[in-house]
Amino acid sequence: MVKRVVKTTLFAAVGLNLAMSCFAQTKQIKLSINPAKTYQTIENFGASDAWACQFVGNWPDDKKNKIADLLFSNENNADGSPKGIGLSMWRFNIGAGSAEQGENSGIRDEWRRAESFLNIDGTYNWQKQAGQVWFLKAAKQRNVPQFLGFANSPPVQLTTNGKAYASQGNVNISPEHYTEFATYLAKVVKGLELTTKIKINYISPVNEPQWDWSDGGQEGCPYTNTQIADVVKALNKVFVADNIDSKIIIGEAGEIDYLYTKSNKPAKAYQINDFFNSASPNYLGNLAAVAHSISGHSYFTTSPMARSIKMRTALADSVARIKNLSFWQSEYCILGDNAGEINGSRRDLGIDAALYLASVISTDLTVANASAWQWWTAISAYNYKDGLIYIDKKKTDGNFYTSKMLWALGNYSRFVKPGAVRVDVTLPDDNLPRPLQVLAFKRGKDAVLVIVNSNTDDVNIALETQGAKIKFATSYTTSANDELRPGPVKGNTVKVKARSVMTVVGKAK
């Protein structure tokens, strides 16, 4: 595996121990942290507003503010526990107008339709997407620093079939409308900044272009790499002409293997090389508005662990061949059977799904060297493992329910902030039934460890810092009975509960 070293300040690395033997009593393990050996710089942890925020944003103020606190707040409750998970990126779904079409949209589930700021007559209505805009403002009020706008489909006025989903797996916009699509996205960036004072830092114009998007399940549009390149070139031209400094995020591959292999859809795969190799006819790396990042989704590639590691190693190697390129894991929730390890169907508010999620994040950060990690839908009304917060499927009011997945993500997002640098961690052969996954980060004088213990026994860890003077002060635990529960750290030893995720924070002296 090629390890890409990023020279920046602070935050840590990961140790991934694959020992698989059993143990019968509380294990004592020495963990060695080397702040001098650095890896990627973390850019953000995020989640998306699709699709429930369009309705929850119109719920009673007390409820939607509590939900916003859970997602965005960096404040503490009176007992010192975090009020929320402090996301550092919020993804805003730029709708294509299927909601205005109603049942004629062909999208069966009303909750998966979306409004558009663009009217049929070509004018713009900035009162649209009001529920989503409420959460956009709520995120800004709680100091979320980064915002991304993503388009699942071009506006229906520009699509080939007049719908927000495709026909027979064909791209749903013709080349003569690429500039109009680009102009629309530029106007959304400017309009939101004018009406909300919120800058959209990133625009993602395509989403999972490998899929057909022809079943009417939601807004969506397939593209080949060449079609993506032409759309991005048009968008770059408009952004440069209009002095818009938002960056374009490209990729959003439906599975990470489409980034580095030709796979089963060669016209839609091998995207790292296609977009960032200067010899490629689809080269985009020299465009002023294009972020030097490639994004992909971790769906269907997370189990079993050996396969997950093999794929992420290949991804990291491919990214490392392009100078200064970073990888964003830009969408994930638990889908599918996952090699029998966990099934994505049915809600799980408990620790099982949370531990699986924490392990996926750890592997994406330590093996794939992801510099950003973003969850799919922050609020879900469905019976799947797709939400951080679950709600009754009601448009104007209802109950909401927190999941342990929310707090497991919070073990990372609340404490590992943009600019944190992952640093090296090593573990001895710990002889645990399941791997103990550990990540370390530094940022200025701040030091952070995230430890995932999926075992059914507690583990004692002695922290060694290889000559660096770091005082660890507080731990935060997510378990079956805890939601980022704070506790003191005595000396440099911590006890990690069975089946828990623990974050340990400290300061360099």
Side-chain angles (χ1 to χ4, degrees):
M1 170 181 173
V2 176
K3 295 182 179 178
R4 182 169 54 87
V5 177
V6 181
K7 294 182 179 178
T8 353
T9 53
L10 238 68
F11 280 89
V14 177
L16 192 62
N17 189 297
L18 301 180
M20 300 299 289
S21 57
C22 297
F23 70 111
Q25 58 187 4
T26 301
K27 189 78 177 176
Q28 177 77 36
I29 294 174
K30 289 184 179 179
L31 183 152
S32 181
I33 306 161
N34 183 4
K37 186 174 182 180
T38 60
Y39 299 89
Q40 77 271 34
T41 299
I42 299 301
E43 297 182 63
N44 57 69
F45 287 91
S48 159
D49 69 356
W51 290 281
C53 286
Q54 62 182 310
F55 297 120
V56 182
N58 298 313
W59 279 21
D61 286 347
D62 179 60
K63 289 184 180 178
K64 64 187 181 184
N65 272 298
K66 286 179 179 176
I67 292 172
D69 282 341
L70 288 166
L71 293 170
F72 309 131
S73 179
N74 286 292
E75 296 180 356
N76 289 331
N77 296 308
D79 64 355
S81 63
K83 185 180 290 187
I85 67 169
L87 294 175
S88 48
M89 159 72 82
W90 186 237
R91 295 175 61 97
F92 180 89
N93 178 21
I94 301 173
S98 57
E100 288 88 343
Q101 294 179 321
E103 291 186 3
N104 292 329
S105 69
I107 295 175
R108 299 174 295 278
D109 186 345
E110 181 181 6
W111 284 61
R112 294 194 176 195
R113 303 170 194 160
E115 290 184 343
S116 172
F117 295 115
L118 180 62
N119 295 320
I120 295 296
D121 62 4
T123 61
Y124 285 79
N125 181 353
W126 301 112
Q127 304 307 308
K128 293 288 187 69
Q129 298 194 241
Q132 293 173 247
V133 169
W134 186 91
F135 271 94
L136 193 70
K137 292 178 178 178
K140 185 66 175 179
Q141 289 165 359
R142 290 160 178 82
N143 299 313
V144 173
Q146 298 177 40
F147 298 91
L148 179 148
F150 66 97
N152 287 319
S153 164
V156 294
Q157 296 93 322
L158 303 180
T159 60
T160 303
N161 63 6
K163 305 291 185 182
Y165 64 95
S167 300
Q168 298 179 331
N170 296 314
V171 64
N172 201 22
I173 182 171
S174 58
E176 60 263 31
H177 292 309
Y178 288 172
T179 297
E180 291 176 82
F181 182 29
T183 300
Y184 161 76
L185 292 174
K187 285 185 179 294
V188 169
V189 171
K190 286 185 168 182
L192 285 173
E193 187 163 11
L194 180 66
T195 56
T196 68
K197 310 303 180 187
I198 296 172
K199 176 180 175 58
I200 302 297
N201 307 95
Y202 300 96
I203 285 289
S204 178
V206 306
N207 177 64
E208 297 186 342
Q210 293 81 16
W211 309 147
D212 286 352
W213 297 121
S214 301
D215 65 353
Q218 66 167 82
E219 295 188 345
C221 185
Y223 297 87
T224 65
N225 288 353
T226 299
Q227 291 160 345
I228 293 171
D230 290 342
V231 167
V232 170
K233 288 171 184 175
L235 185 55
N236 177 80
K237 186 175 181 179
V238 170
F239 275 17
V240 170
D242 289 355
N243 295 312
I244 293 174
D245 62 359
S246 304
K247 292 298 183 181
I248 304 166
I249 290 290
I250 56 178
E252 301 280 6
E255 294 181 14
I256 61 170
D257 49 319
Y258 288 118
L259 296 178
Y260 63 88
T261 70
K262 292 186 178 180
S263 194
N264 59 340
K265 299 183 179 183
K268 300 183 175 189
Y270 209 35
Q271 290 188 316
I272 292 170
N273 185 75
D274 230 16
F275 297 144
F276 288 102
N277 183 336
S278 60
S280 167
N282 293 324
Y283 179 55
L284 301 172
N286 62 339
L287 300 184
V290 171
H292 217 63
S293 302
I294 189 76
S295 61
H297 302 170
S298 281
Y299 296 123
F300 311 119
T301 65
T302 58
S303 295
M305 180 62 81
R307 175 174 177 261
S308 174
I309 290 173
K310 181 179 180 180
M311 296 181 75
R312 281 154 183 78
T313 299
L315 171 58
D317 288 347
S318 297
V319 171
R321 293 188 190 105
I322 306 295
K323 186 178 180 180
N324 297 324
L325 183 66
S326 65
F327 163 61
W328 283 24
Q329 193 298 120
S330 55
E331 185 180 313
Y332 179 74
C333 67
I334 302 174
L335 295 179
D337 179 67
N338 299 290
E341 293 177 356
I342 189 168
N343 195 295
S345 64
R346 304 190 66 83
R347 296 182 184 183
D348 182 350
L349 303 183
I351 197 61
D352 288 348
L355 286 171
Y356 189 86
L357 168 59
S359 178
V360 169
I361 298 173
S362 174
T363 308
D364 282 341
L365 267 64
T366 58
V367 183
N369 284 331
S371 64
W373 203 95
Q374 296 153 15
W375 178 260
W376 170 219
T377 182
I379 305 169
S380 173
Y382 296 99
N383 193 24
Y384 298 102
K385 296 176 180 65
D386 61 347
L388 302 175
I389 298 168
Y390 288 88
I391 59 166
D392 298 331
K393 198 175 184 182
K394 297 181 179 179
K395 294 183 186 178
T396 58
D397 194 5
N399 295 316
F400 65 91
Y401 317 89
T402 60
S403 72
K404 297 294 182 180
M405 288 191 292
L406 171 78
W407 299 108
L409 175 57
N411 278 90
Y412 300 87
S413 60
R414 176 61 188 258
F415 306 102
V416 184
K417 295 302 185 182
V421 176
R422 189 170 70 86
V423 303
D424 197 53
V425 172
T426 56
L427 289 168
D429 182 359
D430 54 26
N431 294 318
L432 300 179
R434 292 174 180 264
L436 191 67
Q437 295 172 278
V438 185
L439 301 88
F441 305 85
K442 63 179 183 179
R443 182 171 178 263
K445 290 191 173 182
D446 295 328
V448 177
L449 296 175
V450 182
I451 305 166
V452 183
N453 179 17
S454 299
N455 296 283
T456 55
D457 296 85
D458 299 344
V459 178
N460 290 323
I461 296 181
L463 308 175
E464 297 181 348
T465 55
Q466 295 194 12
K469 295 181 178 180
I470 300 174
K471 180 175 176 53
F472 292 100
T474 309
S475 66
Y476 296 86
T477 298
T478 299
S479 69
N481 300 312
D482 305 304
E483 297 175 346
L484 289 180
R485 181 176 180 176
V489 175
K490 298 179 180 179
N492 270 15
T493 301
V494 293
K495 183 175 184 177
V496 185
K497 290 178 64 173
R499 293 175 50 76
S500 74
V501 187
M502 174 183 278
T503 300
V504 186
V505 298
K507 294 276 188 183
K509 297 180 181 178

